[in-house]
């Protein structure tokens, strides 16, 4: 019964194909979107603490910019986490997070590479 709803549309598209170019396509079995990335690596380029007033409360966020191979990734965390991120061109960190609606929950920050001065 549900398939009959599209029958007039199909007939109309067949009738109008002589009047120009009409393309009709559909794809019903789309795969689900991939899960959001929860691991990021890079050098900490910037850490910014933000306060937001939503009218009923003030929330603080930590915005961290990671740099890896001239690519910047900006992450926004719920709460004050600035002290957990070393800002150093010599230290690469691995960040694990749990995605959220407004901001991510920080799970861990680990220094994974540290260059040695010679």
């Amino acid at each position: 019964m549900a398939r009959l709803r599209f029958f007039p549309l199909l007939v109309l598209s067949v009738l109008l194909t002589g009047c120009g170019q009409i393309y009709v396509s559909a794809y019903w079995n789309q795969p689900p979107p991939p899960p959001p990335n929860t691991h990021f690596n890079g050098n900490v380029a910037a850490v910014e603490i933000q306060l937001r007033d939503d009218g009923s409360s003030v929330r603080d966020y930590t915005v961290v910019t990671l740099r890896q191979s001239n690519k910047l990734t900006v992450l926004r965390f719920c709460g004050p986490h600035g002290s957990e991120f070393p800002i150093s061109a010599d230290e690469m960190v691995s960040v694990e997070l749990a995605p959220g609606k407004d901001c991510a929950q920080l799970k861990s920050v680990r220094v994974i590479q540290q260059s040695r001065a010679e």
Side-chain angles (χ1 to χ4, degrees), residues 8-75:
L9 181 62
L10 179 64
V11 171
L12 181 63
S13 65
V14 170
L15 291 174
L16 292 176
T17 55
C19 300
Q21 294 181 341
I22 296 178
Y23 299 100
V24 178
S25 66
Y27 186 68
W28 279 276
N29 294 326
Q30 294 181 351
N37 194 356
T38 58
H39 290 85
F40 296 90
N41 295 330
N43 296 84
V44 179
V47 176
E48 178 183 348
I49 304 298
Q50 296 179 344
L51 296 175
R52 299 283 170 122
D53 185 357
D54 64 4
S56 61
S57 65
V58 176
R59 296 186 62 189
D60 51 350
Y61 300 99
T62 303
V63 180
V64 177
T65 303
L66 296 179
R67 176 181 295 141
Q68 184 178 25
S69 301
N70 294 326
K71 177 184 167 195
L72 297 177
T73 302
V74 178
L75 306 173

